[in-house]
């Protein structure tokens, strides 16, 4: 069964705007990861946040984690048309196995 | 560049006709995974290998088998594909003890 639920399922913004995607999960985790998937392609790892971390940055990406609410958010700042993709959160519950959320489809219009 | 390679990228088969998808990696990772991803859905883990140890997910249909003859290669065999098996099949790898996974480009399977 799916561990994570993502919100929104689809998001359409203009280039230059910020995009925020949310992920909620059900059980305790070791870490939470975000992946990106371009249409018809494999997934690419973006960022990993451990259960004892609250915020992490990587370039234009900012991830937060609230373990008390079992939720995470991914913020992409100053979006570009090339950011158009699906974004998945994935939780590592134990043994390094990942359970993926349903994904957010992001469209960035030029 | 170190990578995960999947062949073919697109596979068309007939209902009931066995098909094999292949995955190779140059990352020298211990762990290899096969996922099934249907349109607009999350990837669903089918099975994984930790070195030669095979681990099947409880809800993976018996129709799906896998082989890992060596560290670099892993195969997904679908013995009798049904229409419901049409999907993207993703291969991924990770280093033992690390949960970050590296994905191949996927094989899109069509069942006629």
């Amino acid at each position: 069964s799916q561990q994570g639920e993502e919100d929104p399922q689809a998001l359409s913004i203009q280039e230059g705007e910020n995009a925020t995607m949310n992920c909620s999960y059900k059980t305790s985790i070791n870490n939470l990861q975000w992946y990106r998937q371009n249409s018809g392609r494999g997934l690419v790892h973006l960022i990993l946040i451990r259960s004892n971390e609250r915020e992490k940055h990587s370039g234009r990406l900012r991830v937060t984690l609230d373990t008390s609410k079992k939720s995470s958010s991914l913020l992409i700042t100053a979006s570009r048309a090339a950011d158009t993709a699906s974004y998945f959160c994935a939780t590592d519950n134990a043994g390094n196995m990942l359970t993926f959320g349903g994904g957010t489809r992001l469209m960035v219009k030029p | 560049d170190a990578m995960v390679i999947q062949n073919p990228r697109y596979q068309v088969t007939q209902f009931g006709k066995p098909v094999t998808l292949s995955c190779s990696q140059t990352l020298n990772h211990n762990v290899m995974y096969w996922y099934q991803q249907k349109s607009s859905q999350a990837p669903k883990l089918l099975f994984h290998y930790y070195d030669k140890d095979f681990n099947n997910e409880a809800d993976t249909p018996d129709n799906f088998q896998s082989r890992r003859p060596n560290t670099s290669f892993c195969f997904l065999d679908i013995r009798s594909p049904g229409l419901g098996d049409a999907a993207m099949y993703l291969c991924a790898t990770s280093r033992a003890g690390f949960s970050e996974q590296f994905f191949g480009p996927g094989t899109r399977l069509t069942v006629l």
Side-chain angles (χ1 to χ4, degrees):
Chain A
S1 62
Q2 219 161 279
Q3 160 76 311
E5 297 293 333
E6 294 190 54
D7 166 52
Q9 290 187 330
L11 179 60
S12 181
I13 60 174
Q14 292 295 133
E15 207 164 27
E17 293 180 342
N18 295 343
T20 300
M21 289 157 264
N22 302 296
C23 170
S24 60
Y25 57 91
K26 297 172 186 168
T27 62
S28 62
I29 61 172
N30 292 329
N31 63 68
L32 185 145
Q33 302 174 37
W34 286 90
Y35 287 78
R36 165 194 167 124
Q37 184 178 33
N38 285 56
S39 181
R41 306 287 297 182
L43 282 74
V44 175
H45 181 266
L46 294 176
I47 195 165
L48 180 153
I49 187 164
R50 301 187 196 288
S51 59
N52 61 353
E53 296 176 311
R54 292 296 166 260
E55 189 170 312
K56 204 159 182 182
H57 297 254
S58 176
R60 293 184 295 114
L61 305 181
R62 173 179 169 252
V63 169
T64 61
L65 179 65
D66 187 334
T67 53
S68 66
K69 295 181 180 176
K70 292 187 169 60
S71 68
S72 173
S73 69
L74 171 67
L75 168 67
I76 304 173
T77 60
S79 63
R80 305 166 182 167
D83 294 329
T84 294
S86 291
Y87 292 83
F88 292 89
C89 68
T91 52
D92 173 359
N93 309 107
N96 302 137
M97 292 295 107
L98 296 182
T99 305
F100 286 86
T104 293
R105 292 187 306 281
L106 173 66
M107 174 171 285
V108 181
K109 299 175 188 173
Chain B
D1 284 341
M3 54 177 40
V4 182
I5 302 159
Q6 290 189 246
N7 285 305
R9 293 293 318 282
Y10 301 91
Q11 176 73 57
V12 180
T13 191
Q14 291 180 332
F15 183 95
K17 185 174 181 182
V19 66
T20 295
L21 310 181
S22 73
C23 176
S24 63
Q25 54 128 342
T26 60
L27 297 162
N28 205 30
H29 285 171
N30 304 74
V31 193
M32 293 186 79
Y33 310 81
W34 279 105
Y35 290 88
Q36 179 192 64
Q37 186 182 27
K38 296 191 175 179
S39 182
S40 300
Q41 294 185 21
K44 178 180 178 295
L45 182 65
L46 295 172
F47 22 61
H48 75 278
Y49 280 91
Y50 191 114
D51 291 324
K52 285 192 176 291
D53 292 335
F54 175 73
N55 298 272
N56 200 34
E57 293 301 295
D59 56 356
T60 298
D62 293 340
N63 197 25
F64 291 85
Q65 306 278 312
S66 183
R67 296 170 283 137
R68 189 179 185 186
N70 54 52
T71 301
S72 302
F73 285 87
C74 197
F75 299 97
L76 171 61
D77 301 308
I78 308 176
R79 292 192 292 189
S80 182
L83 298 178
D85 297 327
M88 174 76 91
Y89 289 88
L90 296 165
C91 174
T93 72
S94 69
R95 277 193 296 164
F98 293 83
S99 62
E100 177 187 347
Q101 294 185 14
F102 296 79
F103 283 80
T107 294
R108 181 164 296 283
L109 178 68
T110 300
V111 182
L112 302 177

